[in-house]
Amino acid sequence: MKKIRSLALISATVLVATGCSAGASPAGTEQSAATGPIDIWLSNNEQELAWGKAMVDAWNADHPDEQVTAQPLPAGSTSEEAITAAITGGTAPCLVYNISPAAVSDWVKQGGLVDLSSLEGGDDYIEQRSGDVGSYAVDGRFYQLPWKSNPIVVMYNKTLFAQAGIDPEDPQMQTHEAFLEGARTLVDSGVQSAIWPKPTSEFYWAWGDFYPLYLAETDGTMLVEDGTSTFDSDAGRAVAEFWATMYDEKLAPTETSTDNPMVVGTTAMQIGGPWAIPTYAGAVDVGFMPVPTSDGREDPISFADSKGVSMFTACENQGTAWEFLKFSTSEDADGTLLELSGQMPMRTALMDTYPDYFDAHPESVYFAEQSEATRGVPSIPNSVEAWQTFRDEYSSAVIFGKGSVDDFLTNTAAKIDDLVAE
Amino acid sequence: MTDNRRLRTRWLGAQPIGGLFALPYLIFVIAIFAYPLGFAVYIAFHDYFFTAPGVEVDRPFVGFDNFATVLTDPRVLDALRNTLLFLVINVPLTAVFSLVLAVALNNGIRWAAAYRVAFYVPYLTASVSLVGVWMLLFSGNGLVNTILGPFAPDPSWLVNSALAMPMIALYVTWKEMGFYILLYLAALQNVPKELYESSETDGASIFTRFRHVTVPGVRNATTLVLILSIITGANLFTEPYLLTNGGGPDGASTTPALLIYQLGIQQQNPDTAAAIGIILVILVGLLSLAAQRATKER
């Protein structure tokens, strides 16, 4: 009898689970015009929170019936996980700022994002503001507004460079070979490591080491284009072998730092975006240079650690959300973002639009110029899984030196082709 | 007794009011354990992904496809192998050290209270903060390598694919030890003192008394320690994620729980993640059964 009761309980549980998994009706289209109060989520970054508060206060003062409530993204391992959970639970806000483009295709598949192209003037607004951003579309539709771009460059400690005998104003490290030679000189001079990219296994760290150099090497070819991986090539091999040499000769550590290695002086270089500038203020006399290429070309294309803004289908007042999205990405709002955070709004003619800011912040000019020559992460199916696959194989072959670079490129390309084709 | 009453007694017991008292816990068990488990079983047998509420998608029944996928995935097999290595190191060390230390603490050594606190503090402390301490100790330029000098392993402890999992096993053994010592201390109170006295009178050495009185006397606690440490090992997530850079080096410390997180949460493949979870539950059940049989009094 005990067994029968247990079986009955398990069966009931499974039936409940099965019943609960059935879908309901889709959201109504009248939501797209509805107005009223909305919620938005911002990143936890202090400067962006200040910017968000300024935007919300300005909007709320003029829109008493369409009040906006802002809050930082809920705590989670990453923003993407918190947002994915919110979509599944139906608790997503109307707008989320600072989303990673890599996660968008999965959220579209979940039915969690509003197609901004379907809104009145959606495509026109996005393309007039941000220029050629077609690579941010999924199946030709915008489910995100490409918001800001943070070009990835090499940042270096001028003092450590000078101590090693490298000209800090013109390090002459544009080629892979020259960069390696400079790195050896730095380590020989007593610096613990020449450069310290994060060697961890999370999928997004590929964007901080391999990908910027690959974009530079190929003049902007994305890792996947037209549904096929591109990196099993001479360019991919050159970049992978460059990093493999870095790790093999212990010019770059294979473990993470317990603190900021540039700030504490345990590394002479890091790869990063403009968000890092405030970190070094007063601690490091920092210089910037482009990522190296095999032939040392001038002004190579780099990776834009860009972020977008998406509207979520759980939003009841999408009319207000769309108006607030346009308000918060207007020329004035972008100027405030630049002023408060130092991050580059993704809009055409950036330096001409905000000449006063760049006159007052010459250190940002380098990033603004570089932001004209960047690429983002391709919007592909199974994006996160594809990037995790890439990172796993890269870690094995390049960071830890197991297996050949050729095998890494060929095997990973085949796996990613399969994932993209699913 | 009428038929109705007999039927009611059969289903609700002789004292139905007792069921009322148990109801809150029953609801808790159904909501927190039974429902998710049943849902996981459902997911594992379907082509499933999470969607926003109201979005209708086709989630066909796929039989054992998800299980076939994960059982042929080298990452899953590596993760199971890593877990086995963890268990081989962690479980015996946990059982032996916690019993020996509990016996020492039970025998009135000096400063026993201070030792108890020292062993128990790591268990109470959040793993995240202790991981930071271990990273400072065992990183390439950490304290341990500074002491070892030329004898330090290369690559260093936490990024060495041969040492990463043993390091995690040692870390977890140290962190959890306090809890298991408490279990053994409680069990030792029930071992009759007369047995020690009579064996001592018979001339049994301290080791003989330990082997023939203490070990059999705490057999039930040993079973519990083994099962709990197996379950802890099977659920390993925080330590490999934080201590060895998200499952590195080269996947040497990736565990099934870490893969479940990657597949289910990060990569939107809850169906294969659920299949791993169910396989893990079955394996833990079998290992626990084996542990119970091994420690059963014959």
Side-chain angles (χ1 to χ4, degrees):
Chain A
M1 182 53 72
K2 275 182 186 172
K3 282 183 182 171
I4 293 172
R5 277 189 226 175
S6 303
L7 275 173
L9 182 63
I10 292 168
S11 304
T13 308
V14 172
L15 283 172
V16 168
T18 311
C20 285
S21 68
S25 59
T29 51
E30 66 272 12
Q31 283 177 299
S32 61
T35 59
I38 63 167
D39 291 325
I40 65 168
W41 288 356
L42 303 161
S43 90
N44 294 296
N45 176 300
E46 186 183 340
Q47 291 86 9
E48 284 185 52
L49 284 174
W51 169 83
K53 185 175 184 315
M55 291 301 104
V56 168
D57 288 347
W59 171 273
N60 286 348
D62 293 337
H63 299 83
D65 297 329
E66 297 173 80
Q67 294 285 287
V68 176
T69 305
Q71 69 166 73
L73 270 156
S77 174
T78 63
S79 307
E80 290 71 38
E81 288 159 31
I83 294 167
T84 302
I87 290 173
T88 308
T91 57
C94 282
L95 299 169
V96 177
Y97 290 72
N98 211 49
I99 60 160
S100 168
V104 166
S105 61
D106 282 341
W107 292 338
V108 172
K109 186 181 171 190
Q110 280 191 284
L113 299 185
V114 172
D115 175 7
L116 300 179
S117 297
S118 70
L119 301 177
E120 190 178 341
D123 280 353
D124 289 345
Y125 179 75
I126 290 169
E127 285 165 357
Q128 280 172 18
R129 175 187 178 275
S130 308
D132 179 15
V133 287
S135 63
Y136 292 86
V138 176
D139 295 332
R141 317 285 295 178
F142 285 110
Y143 291 88
Q144 62 176 317
L145 181 142
W147 179 36
K148 61 182 184 182
S149 164
N150 293 310
I152 299 296
V153 302
V154 177
M155 303 178 171
Y156 61 91
N157 185 325
K158 287 184 176 179
T159 309
L160 293 178
F161 268 48
Q163 284 172 6
I166 300 172
D167 181 358
E169 302 308 325
D170 187 14
Q172 293 289 321
M173 290 166 65
Q174 289 100 324
T175 67
H176 288 165
E177 205 46 56
F179 198 97
L180 285 167
E181 200 51 49
R184 292 177 189 121
T185 305
L186 284 160
V187 171
D188 288 345
S189 76
V191 185
Q192 186 183 324
S193 69
I195 191 167
W196 205 326
K198 288 217 175 189
T200 65
S201 303
E202 289 97 341
F203 64 94
Y204 44 84
W205 286 118
W207 310 338
D209 43 40
F210 181 89
Y211 197 31
L213 272 71
Y214 180 71
L215 285 169
E217 191 68 20
T218 58
D219 289 329
T221 302
M222 292 200 193
L223 283 184
V224 176
E225 289 192 348
D226 301 325
T228 308
S229 61
T230 62
F231 53 85
D232 185 12
S233 62
D234 289 343
R237 192 168 301 105
V239 174
E241 283 176 350
F242 166 81
W243 281 116
T245 307
M246 273 284 176
Y247 287 108
D248 184 50
E249 295 188 17
K250 301 191 187 310
L251 304 172
T254 51
E255 55 193 310
T256 49
S257 174
T258 49
D259 39 34
N260 187 319
M262 270 275 274
V263 172
V264 297
T266 48
T267 193
M269 294 182 278
Q270 272 188 312
I271 293 186
W275 66 82
I277 294 175
T279 314
Y280 302 138
V284 182
D285 184 9
V286 66
F288 309 107
M289 59 181 167
V291 295
T293 57
S294 58
D295 59 3
R297 72 198 64 173
E298 293 284 322
D299 303 321
I301 286 177
S302 184
F303 172 61
D305 186 17
S306 51
K307 295 289 187 290
V309 188
S310 281
M311 189 187 299
F312 290 79
T313 48
C315 179
E316 291 182 358
N317 297 317
Q318 292 175 10
T320 298
W322 177 230
E323 291 305 317
F324 184 76
L325 177 56
K326 288 191 284 186
F327 170 79
S328 59
T329 53
S330 63
E331 189 175 310
D332 286 347
D334 285 345
T336 308
L337 177 70
L338 191 58
E339 193 71 50
L340 291 179
S341 73
Q343 298 182 53
M344 308 291 137
M346 200 183 294
R347 55 169 48 246
T348 53
L350 185 64
M351 292 216 289
D352 293 340
T353 310
Y354 308 104
D356 294 345
Y357 175 83
F358 288 104
D359 285 345
H361 298 85
E363 77 280 3
S364 293
V365 170
Y366 186 84
F367 290 95
E369 288 172 346
Q370 181 70 63
S371 69
E372 301 285 330
T374 55
R375 295 284 185 280
V377 180
S379 288
I380 52 172
N382 300 309
S383 174
V384 174
E385 191 172 356
W387 283 103
Q388 186 65 61
T389 301
F390 184 92
R391 192 62 182 175
D392 289 345
E393 303 287 339
Y394 177 86
S395 296
S396 180
V398 175
I399 298 177
F400 296 104
K402 292 184 177 174
S404 73
V405 163
D406 281 341
D407 288 347
F408 148 63
L409 294 167
T410 306
N411 296 339
T412 310
K415 287 179 183 176
I416 289 182
D417 286 347
D418 286 346
L419 284 169
V420 174
E422 277 180 14
Chain B
M1 190 184 282
T2 64
D3 283 351
N4 276 348
R5 195 171 168 191
R6 192 176 293 120
L7 197 64
R8 197 171 64 221
T9 304
R10 180 180 292 173
W11 280 96
L12 300 176
Q15 298 293 335
I17 192 79
L20 199 62
F21 287 117
L23 196 59
Y25 184 68
L26 188 64
I27 292 170
F28 175 80
V29 167
I30 289 171
I32 304 298
F33 296 107
Y35 173 73
L37 182 63
F39 197 23
V41 172
Y42 172 84
I43 290 174
F45 285 96
H46 289 77
D47 180 6
Y48 195 96
F49 65 94
F50 295 123
T51 62
V55 175
E56 285 190 35
V57 293
D58 188 24
R59 290 162 174 152
F61 178 77
V62 293
F64 286 96
D65 280 6
N66 291 322
F67 293 89
T69 301
V70 299
L71 287 174
T72 53
D73 185 341
R75 290 177 305 170
V76 177
L77 301 178
D78 286 346
L80 290 172
R81 203 175 298 124
N82 293 339
T83 302
L84 189 64
L85 175 62
F86 174 92
L87 294 176
V88 165
I89 297 170
N90 170 262
V91 174
L93 284 183
T94 298
V96 171
F97 276 115
S98 51
L99 176 57
V100 170
L101 289 169
V103 169
L105 291 171
N106 197 46
N107 284 342
I109 59 168
R110 292 184 71 186
W111 302 313
Y115 283 121
R116 285 184 197 195
V117 171
F119 289 127
Y120 202 58
V121 162
Y123 177 72
L124 291 177
T125 309
S127 204
V128 173
S129 53
L130 292 178
V131 159
V133 175
W134 270 58
M135 286 179 77
L136 286 171
L137 286 172
F138 291 100
S139 60
N141 56 352
L143 183 64
V144 173
N145 278 4
T146 306
I147 293 168
L148 290 176
F151 300 106
D154 183 22
S156 194
W157 305 91
L158 301 172
V159 290
N160 186 313
S161 54
L163 294 175
M165 207 61 193
M167 289 301 295
I168 291 170
L170 290 177
Y171 169 85
V172 174
T173 305
W174 166 73
K175 186 182 184 318
E176 304 286 320
M177 187 79 75
F179 173 68
Y180 297 116
I181 288 174
L182 274 190
L183 286 183
Y184 272 126
L185 279 171
L188 286 169
Q189 310 309 311
N190 293 327
V191 181
K193 286 199 170 41
E194 297 78 16
L195 289 177
Y196 287 109
E197 289 164 1
S198 59
S199 58
E200 199 171 355
T201 307
D202 291 343
S205 69
I206 188 167
F207 296 108
T208 308
R209 291 201 300 274
F210 178 79
R211 187 179 164 200
H212 293 291
V213 179
T214 306
V215 171
V218 296
R219 195 183 300 276
N220 289 339
T222 300
T223 305
L224 187 61
V225 167
L226 292 180
I227 290 174
L228 287 178
S229 52
I230 287 169
I231 292 170
T232 301
N235 288 323
L236 204 61
F237 175 84
T238 309
E239 290 79 8
Y241 187 73
L242 295 178
L243 206 57
T244 55
N245 300 336
D250 188 25
S253 58
T254 300
T255 60
L258 199 61
L259 279 181
I260 289 171
Y261 161 73
Q262 282 185 347
L263 287 168
I265 307 297
Q266 290 187 321
Q267 300 173 15
Q268 300 286 312
N269 292 313
D271 45 10
T272 45
I276 296 175
I278 288 164
I279 291 168
L280 198 59
V281 166
I282 292 169
L283 289 177
V284 168
L286 291 174
L287 280 175
S288 300
L289 198 64
Q292 192 187 21
R293 290 271 166 87
T295 53
K296 195 174 180 182
E297 199 165 5
R298 293 178 182 88

